[in-house]
Amino acid sequence: MNDLLKQLTEAVGVSGAEKEVRLLIRDLIADHVDEWSVDTMGNLTATKRGTGDYDMRVLVDAHMDEVGLLITDIDSSGMLRFTNVGGFDDRALLGKVVQVGPHKVTGVIGARAIHLLKRGEYSKVVRIDAMRIDIGAKNKEAASSSVKVGDYAAFVTEYEELDGGRTAIGKAFDNRAGCAALIELLRGERYPFDLVAAFTVQEEVGLRGAKIAAFNARADAALVLECTPAFDLPKEQDRSPNVALGKGVSVYVMDARTIQDPRLVAHIMATGDSQGIPYQVRQPGGGGTNTGAIQRAGAGIPAATLAVPGRYAHTPTMMISLDDYDNIVRLADATLRTLTPDTFRRD
Amino acid sequence: MNDLIRSLVEAYGPSGFEDGVRDLIRPLIEPHADEVTVDALGNLIARKRATTGEANPLKVMIAAHMDEIGIMASHITEKGFLRFTNIGGVGSHTLLGGRVRFADGTLGIIGVDRMEDRNSIHPLNKHFIDVGATSRENCPVRVGDAAHFVRPFEARGRHLTAKSMDDRIGCAVAIEALRRLPADVSHDLYFVFSVQEEVGTRGAEAAANGIMPDVSIALDVTLTGDVPESRPMDVRLGAGPAIKVKDSGMIAHAGLVRLMRRRAEEAGIDYQLEVLEGGTTDARPMQLAGPGSVAGCISIPCRYVHTPSETVDASDVEGAVALLVTLLSADMEL
Amino acid sequence: METFELLKQLTEAPGPTGNEGGAAAVIESLWRPFVDEIVVDRVGSLLGIKRGAGPADRPRPSILLAAHMDELGLMVSRIVEHDGNGFLRVTELGGVDRRHLLGQTAIVHGTRPLTGVLGGLPDSYLSEKERDKAYSYENLVLDVGLPIDEVRRLVSIGDFVTFRQSLRKLQNGRVAGKALDNRASVTAVTICLEHLQQRRHTWDVIAVATSQEEETFLGAYTSAYAQRPDAAIAIDVTHAKGPGTNDSELMELGSGPVLDIGANVHPGLYGALRDAANALEMKIGTGVHAAGSGTDAYALQVARDGIPTGVLSIPLRYMHTMVETVDMGDVERVGRLLAEMVARLDDNFLGNIREELMRPEISIKNGRGRSVSSVSEDDGA
């Protein structure tokens, strides 16, 4: 059992309320870094000083927030109205168990039973503003004693490793998988340069935390560790999956927010090739990671993204391959260990 | 100037892959600048220092973007065809039968999946590129490779047509202005040939953060309203460079607009005023950088923007150079 | 000055996004007696700095109060001749609600101000697919009633247009007019500065009437970058209950300030505002946003290395129209609440809110109207 992934994914940290994850990660890294600090938005930044070979600072980012729900109102019957935090498919919500607020009050998202539906209603998507979270309270007064407007809610999903042990399911692999990988890097040997690890907030609501973390880091280069949605399900046409589970680390080239630094991408691929670490190029196109904010911070930072492919992103239960996870740790580590100022020379 | 424009517009430089354009421009500007640098994202920055000995000369940033729209391979089929995604604002109505070229010279022809309805435009993801390969294995292109559209430069009288007038024509205006500026200037001038404008004005944002200009001027193309049944707009080809008042991402500094108008009038340069209802330029991130800068834009009117036949008028280009030179040579009381 | 008079002066001054000078002049005259220094920066924001009573031998912390002063408006996009007459076509500045334009009067800020009417052809003259739809900017004209030569002489493409609307009193202390988004908040900041004349505060106060919030948050980004405040509050308007907006989470007009919780808000700033309201025994509402707050806070929060930011709002009906409506009592309460909050800021505030980010959640119980953290073991702010 991968305890790191278990602890990290079972912790709650919806965008804007990442405290629990922040404290957990602080405890997991404190003995392995030279210093750590927290900025005004709640980004946790740690420095692992280098061996002194290169006068360079490299930022490695992993966002610690997850998508979730936010309580907007408590109605007179004690039901909680809510909105989504981060991108969601409304169809993923019905019938889910959630934990509400810092004290993790259990609630369920229910809807009118199938027996009572009118003709035609059955195939319609129930929209989020028509759903309620039921915590069992009898009225507003009673509900207000344990939850309040502005509380965040997360799914309740335990981490599990499936038969054979190389596939894991759980919530929030996006992006606790990236956090776990970054923690493993911090626990390793020093790099030839100063490594600044940023566990950032509010990625899912617009790459917000990374903007100031990158401004603060004053880095010469950056690597972002992520979990990217994988659509490798049975399909008819020859369009291939964007990325597939078990086929290696997903390397970004371009998404909706960035064109990844070509020099860094080439270095990553060369590293993977020479060290025999499997990787796959993620289909360029949509999506976006903190690289989008980091690349433009200050006077610009060359940046690239590595990701663990994850099926069923932004739902209560994601699935990843633990081989991919092991490989992202290896590839990120090998990429960093062979990174030099020459990697970024233009000629 | 046509030779300069031809060499610029035919160069390869989709957003993120501007190296070729940068290599082309660099030797052209080096003789006219005090210092030429390339920043972390690849912006080419030519600095011409104030010579008047003033303690705090104004820092003026002039930005023209080097990148052009293009495509990137996203999938290679078993039979060796490419599926692709857009780099920047590529309209799917401009694709069928078009040609693209990859960095290594590979030429591709754009085809479309079976058309069920010839009267509707097929989305980008129903198009493919044929590079002459017969299998995934012998395809010379890999997922993630970028290409630009190809179409030769043509001059028809005053009308100049090419695939990437947006914004190599701005680059040409900047290069020509830098050449024509007097040796002595009273402002610190930063001519920035920026990257990644077409994907969200990313390069200029970083460059502006590095420079922290007091005054910013973008050089870019703008749309026109002078073709049949076009969206109404009071900008036309041949009536002079356009002084931007507003676009959908920025409102130009009113004092800078007034100054540009006055300088144009003093120098007898025809100009137009521009209110653009879609799109924006590098002026937006420059205006927002740091404590903010006084920002504006000199636009070159252009027909058929984001197609392989972008068309400008040589007299507008000439006017833009003249306006920029007169603006930068004199005082800037705003 | 009476609140109505303040609101009247402030809302009737022209200050469309990108050309806020008219509003800035009025604000400057109102703030000058209350502040030590006034600056207009190069993107058009107006800053009033009131120094705190803290020791002069070391830098005093500062709080930035941002209320945007720009208002929605229009801009001349084309000048069109018809039958010897000059008509103006316009485009919008900020998110104008187009449905409200037909029949409205407006002022074109040409070489001199010109009054015009926003008109359009009747339904029967419109193409089939445009009938039954709100007028588009291609169909609307702004008619200043002048021949084409006169129009060309007086008006340029790119001239700014503001709506003509004087502030009206409704019943129950409510007022309606244009630009209450966000001059109502500028009024509240003015009231705050006035209260602070009688209050001791150790922190510096940087009151900013920001420019171009409605387009790019320009003034918030740039003033926060230049001033480097230690904390910031965005003051803006929020939807109140009204026709079509009876969602249970919205506040009634007159029900008091609304404090935001959400991604743009630092819990410490929320707490400080809430505690100040409690000290005044002032009723407050709660607003919740999951991502962007749609206010200057969106920019303030991420300026430089980040600024702890709060959001305080005034309930308002009919946002982005010429009949925006607020309750004057809410405006006054927001002003008073701001002053109270500023006066309570002390040397420990920043340290406390920093620690709060790393303090494990402890308490469980709370009562109605009180939040969990207000009864936690060691309440920070």
Side-chain angles (χ1 to χ4, degrees):
Chain A
M1 177 73 77
N2 187 320
D3 284 333
L4 202 49
L5 284 172
K6 179 172 173 61
Q7 281 184 74
L8 285 165
T9 59
E10 291 182 1
V12 171
V14 178
S15 314
E18 299 88 350
K19 187 189 276 186
E20 182 183 334
V21 182
R22 179 165 56 240
L23 294 175
L24 172 63
I25 294 177
R26 191 267 318 267
D27 293 345
L28 291 168
I29 65 169
D31 293 341
H32 306 276
V33 299
D34 296 299
E35 58 195 51
W36 60 266
S37 63
V38 175
D39 65 26
T40 65
M41 284 182 77
N43 297 305
L44 172 65
T45 306
T47 306
K48 188 177 181 66
R49 273 194 279 283
T51 54
D53 290 299
Y54 301 123
D55 180 20
M56 195 161 73
R57 283 165 71 77
V58 178
L59 172 68
V60 184
D61 165 283
H63 74 84
M64 57 183 169
D65 60 314
E66 67 189 289
V67 297
L69 309 172
L70 175 56
I71 308 305
T72 57
D73 193 35
I74 302 171
D75 73 18
S76 55
S77 60
M79 294 283 186
L80 315 184
R81 288 174 60 128
F82 59 94
T83 187
N84 55 304
V85 181
F88 253 110
D89 186 335
D90 290 349
R91 290 173 293 193
L93 291 173
L94 285 184
K96 304 305 183 297
V97 182
V98 296
Q99 39 189 330
V100 185
H103 312 296
K104 308 198 171 185
V105 176
T106 300
V108 295
I109 304 174
R112 198 199 322 238
I114 185 169
H115 321 75
L116 310 175
L117 293 181
K118 294 199 189 79
R119 230 175 151 71
E121 271 182 345
Y122 182 57
S123 58
K124 286 212 184 99
V125 177
V126 179
R127 295 295 167 199
I128 192 167
D129 52 6
M131 297 179 200
R132 299 289 183 270
I133 294 173
D134 185 348
I135 56 167
K138 286 183 180 146
N139 53 42
K140 182 168 186 166
E141 191 96 78
S144 302
S145 69
S146 55
V147 301
K148 64 184 194 303
V149 170
D151 276 350
Y152 288 82
F155 299 113
V156 177
T157 312
E158 277 180 34
Y159 175 83
E160 289 175 63
E161 291 174 4
L162 301 186
D163 264 3
R166 298 316 296 162
T167 304
I169 58 172
K171 76 166 177 65
F173 283 125
D174 176 5
N175 183 34
R176 304 292 156 64
C179 294
L182 180 48
I183 291 167
E184 296 207 36
L185 298 184
L186 290 174
R187 290 175 169 181
E189 296 296 311
R190 291 186 190 278
Y191 293 91
F193 44 75
D194 290 351
L195 187 142
V196 182
F199 298 91
T200 48
V201 299
Q202 297 195 23
E203 191 270 354
E204 300 288 358
V205 292
L207 323 184
R208 300 276 297 167
K211 185 170 156 63
I212 68 169
F215 181 93
N216 261 337
R218 318 239 174 236
D220 301 298
L223 190 61
V224 171
L225 304 180
E226 257 287 5
C227 178
T228 196
F231 307 123
D232 55 333
L233 304 182
K235 279 192 294 275
E236 295 302 314
Q237 284 171 321
D238 179 6
R239 288 184 185 273
S240 92
N242 58 340
V243 285
L245 258 59
K247 294 196 173 161
V249 183
S250 166
V251 177
Y252 277 61
V253 178
M254 179 177 85
D255 60 24
R257 298 289 199 122
T258 51
I259 294 156
Q260 312 275 310
D261 190 273
R263 299 162 296 180
L264 199 43
V265 172
H267 174 67
I268 289 165
M269 292 184 183
T271 305
D273 291 339
S274 69
Q275 313 233 354
I277 305 168
Y279 65 84
Q280 49 186 328
V281 175
R282 173 187 178 274
Q283 274 191 346
T289 72
N290 273 340
T291 307
I294 292 168
Q295 200 169 45
R296 294 197 259 182
I301 302 171
T305 313
L306 295 179
V308 178
R311 287 189 195 138
Y312 323 117
H314 294 203
T315 77
T317 314
M318 287 187 71
M319 179 185 287
I320 64 167
S321 148
L322 292 170
D323 292 330
D324 292 338
Y325 171 76
D326 290 345
N327 284 324
I328 197 174
V329 177
R330 289 173 64 208
L331 185 55
D333 183 62
T335 294
L336 292 168
R337 295 216 177 271
T338 50
L339 197 67
T340 74
D342 278 351
T343 311
F344 300 100
R345 274 177 51 181
R346 290 185 191 276
D347 34 43
Chain B
M1 208 173 162
N2 278 9
D3 289 341
L4 171 65
I5 296 170
R6 179 195 300 272
S7 67
L8 286 169
V9 296
E10 293 188 350
Y12 174 86
S15 310
F17 306 92
E18 302 88 353
D19 310 51
V21 186
R22 189 169 51 237
D23 293 345
L24 181 66
I25 295 176
R26 188 167 185 152
L28 301 177
I29 56 173
E30 269 173 338
H32 310 284
D34 296 310
E35 189 184 306
V36 176
T37 53
V38 178
D39 73 7
L41 292 196
N43 297 298
L44 175 66
I45 303 171
R47 181 173 175 196
K48 185 174 166 66
R49 283 176 207 276
T51 49
T52 44
E54 206 183 311
N56 289 306
L58 277 184
K59 278 199 271 185
V60 183
M61 173 169 167
I62 301 101
H65 68 89
M66 298 188 286
D67 62 313
E68 63 186 304
I69 57 169
I71 62 95
M72 183 179 277
S74 59
H75 173 60
I76 319 290
T77 70
E78 283 170 22
K79 305 275 190 206
F81 292 90
L82 318 179
R83 296 290 182 179
F84 59 97
T85 186
N86 58 304
I87 300 177
V90 174
S92 50
H93 56 285
T94 65
L95 293 174
L96 181 57
R99 300 176 190 185
V100 297
R101 200 181 292 281
F102 289 83
D104 68 351
T106 300
L107 183 76
I109 316 301
I110 302 175
V112 69
D113 296 359
R114 189 172 75 182
M115 285 195 182
E116 301 293 351
D117 173 11
R118 289 186 168 273
N119 296 319
S120 70
I121 296 165
H122 288 236
L124 188 130
N125 64 12
K126 301 280 187 203
H127 291 76
F128 56 81
I129 293 172
D130 175 353
V131 291
T134 53
S135 71
R136 195 172 283 165
E137 289 65 38
N138 70 16
C139 181
V141 176
R142 292 186 312 167
V143 169
D145 286 352
H148 70 160
F149 296 94
V150 284
R151 200 69 72 97
F153 170 83
E154 302 275 1
R156 299 171 299 151
R158 308 205 66 79
H159 283 192
L160 313 176
T161 297
K163 61 140 171 89
S164 60
M165 285 297 177
D166 176 8
D167 182 30
R168 305 288 163 71
I169 199 65
C171 296
V173 168
I175 294 165
E176 192 60 26
L178 192 52
R179 283 173 173 164
R180 286 193 209 169
L181 275 169
D184 289 322
V185 289
S186 56
H187 317 299
D188 252 354
L189 304 179
Y190 294 81
F191 281 82
V192 176
F193 299 87
S194 62
V195 297
Q196 301 195 30
E197 192 271 354
E198 295 291 357
V199 289
T201 63
R202 295 176 191 154
E205 179 175 342
N209 282 334
I211 293 167
M212 290 292 174
D214 299 304
V215 179
S216 308
I217 299 160
L219 306 171
D220 211 329
V221 299
T222 190
L223 307 181
T224 67
D226 62 348
V227 294
E229 299 294 319
S230 62
R231 182 173 180 160
M233 183 175 174
D234 263 3
V235 171
R236 61 186 201 277
L237 243 53
I243 296 172
K244 188 187 293 286
V245 183
K246 177 187 185 293
D247 62 29
S248 55
M250 186 217 47
I251 299 168
H253 187 277
L256 184 58
V257 170
R258 271 196 302 276
L259 182 68
M260 286 182 182
R261 293 179 67 177
R262 199 168 84 228
R263 293 283 180 249
E265 282 158 18
E266 286 163 359
I269 302 164
D270 287 337
Y271 69 91
Q272 322 178 55
L273 289 168
E274 172 203 346
V275 175
L276 178 66
E277 292 182 83
T280 193
T281 72
D282 281 340
R284 174 191 164 97
M286 293 193 286
Q287 183 178 50
L288 282 159
S293 72
V294 169
C297 177
I298 298 175
S299 301
I300 297 95
C302 183
R303 290 181 187 161
Y304 325 118
V305 171
H306 286 200
T307 77
S309 298
E310 295 174 332
T311 299
V312 301
D313 185 300
S315 60
D316 297 338
V317 179
E318 188 55 44
V321 176
L323 176 55
L324 184 60
V325 170
T326 178
L327 185 70
L328 296 178
S329 309
D331 285 345
M332 285 205 179
E333 65 281 15
L334 295 159
Chain C
M1 201 181 288
E2 289 284 310
T3 303
F4 179 77
E5 189 52 33
L6 277 175
L7 282 166
K8 184 171 170 62
Q9 285 189 25
L10 283 166
T11 60
E12 293 178 8
T17 306
N19 201 349
E20 295 87 354
V26 174
I27 298 168
E28 179 172 354
S29 70
L30 293 170
W31 286 5
R32 191 165 282 290
F34 303 139
V35 298
D36 299 302
E37 191 185 339
I38 284 203
V39 185
V40 177
D41 72 15
R42 63 185 174 209
V43 298
S45 298
L46 180 113
L47 291 82
I49 298 162
K50 183 173 184 331
R51 282 188 273 280
D57 56 338
R58 57 190 160 88
R60 281 181 300 272
S62 62
I63 183 161
L64 188 150
L65 308 178
H68 74 86
M69 64 172 151
D70 59 313
E71 69 185 285
L72 303 167
L74 302 170
M75 180 179 273
V76 176
S77 60
R78 291 191 296 142
I79 299 171
V80 184
E81 179 182 359
H82 181 72
D83 230 1
N85 295 310
F87 293 92
L88 306 177
R89 298 283 191 198
V90 292
T91 186
E92 67 187 11
L93 283 172
V96 175
D97 187 338
R98 215 155 24 85
R99 302 169 304 165
H100 291 67
L101 292 180
L102 188 66
Q104 191 62 232
T105 54
I107 298 183
V108 184
H109 299 272
T111 50
R112 62 181 163 81
L114 300 169
T115 297
V117 179
L118 284 154
L121 289 167
D123 241 20
S124 54
Y125 282 79
L126 297 178
S127 71
E128 197 91 13
K129 63 173 198 250
E130 284 169 328
R131 286 175 207 174
D132 304 330
K133 281 199 180 156
Y135 278 84
S136 72
Y137 289 108
E138 287 187 32
N139 292 328
L140 281 169
V141 294
L142 176 52
D143 185 352
V144 292
L146 292 172
I148 183 70
D149 295 347
E150 276 294 281
V151 171
R152 286 198 198 284
R153 197 170 62 77
L154 297 168
V155 182
S156 285
I157 288 167
D159 280 351
F160 289 82
V161 177
T162 51
F163 301 110
R164 208 177 60 151
Q165 184 80 293
S166 51
L167 189 71
R168 319 278 170 156
K169 275 187 182 163
L170 306 180
Q171 297 176 46
N172 295 318
R174 292 170 180 186
V175 293
K178 75 166 174 76
L180 280 161
D181 173 5
N182 189 29
R183 307 278 168 72
S185 301
V186 176
T187 305
V189 172
T190 309
I191 291 168
C192 161
L193 291 172
E194 192 174 1
H195 279 293
L196 287 178
Q197 305 306 304
Q198 321 300 330
R199 297 289 300 264
R200 186 188 135 85
H201 58 98
T202 56
W203 284 39
D204 284 356
V205 178
I206 306 168
V208 186
T210 55
S211 63
Q212 299 200 30
E213 188 268 357
E214 299 286 1
E215 288 275 342
T216 57
F217 303 118
L218 176 63
Y221 276 115
T222 52
S223 62
Y225 186 94
Q227 298 296 322
R228 306 190 82 149
D230 297 288
I233 298 175
I235 304 105
D236 212 323
V237 296
T238 187
H239 296 287
K241 276 198 174 66
T245 53
N246 281 311
D247 291 350
S248 54
E249 64 259 44
L250 296 180
M251 298 297 142
E252 292 282 3
L253 288 182
S255 64
V258 176
L259 268 55
D260 253 34
I261 303 177
N264 291 166
V265 173
H266 191 293
L269 268 288
Y270 169 80
L273 286 165
R274 181 204 58 220
D275 293 347
N278 287 344
L280 294 171
E281 297 184 359
M282 185 183 286
K283 219 178 117 202
I284 50 170
T286 303
V288 172
H289 67 262
S293 59
T295 72
D296 276 338
Y298 183 81
L300 298 170
Q301 183 188 32
V302 294
R304 287 195 187 254
D305 51 356
I307 297 171
T309 299
V311 177
L312 180 57
S313 308
I314 300 168
L316 173 142
R317 283 184 190 157
Y318 322 118
M319 201 181 290
H320 287 199
T321 74
M322 309 82 196
V323 290
E324 293 174 334
T325 300
V326 299
D327 187 304
M328 289 192 288
D330 289 335
V331 177
E332 289 162 359
R333 282 186 279 267
V334 167
R336 240 181 332 132
L337 175 56
L338 277 173
E340 179 69 24
M341 187 266 181
V342 167
R344 293 162 61 91
L345 290 169
D346 59 21
D347 285 353
N348 302 323
F349 179 74
L350 290 171
N352 285 342
I353 67 169
R354 245 195 314 272
E355 278 167 29
E356 168 67 28
L357 286 174
M358 297 304 278
R359 185 179 297 135
E361 304 288 344
I362 295 163
S363 70
I364 307 234
K365 293 285 170 240
N366 71 335
R368 232 162 107 83
R370 303 195 68 200
S371 75
V372 170
S373 59
S374 72
V375 290
S376 69
E377 202 170 285
D378 43 358
D379 188 15

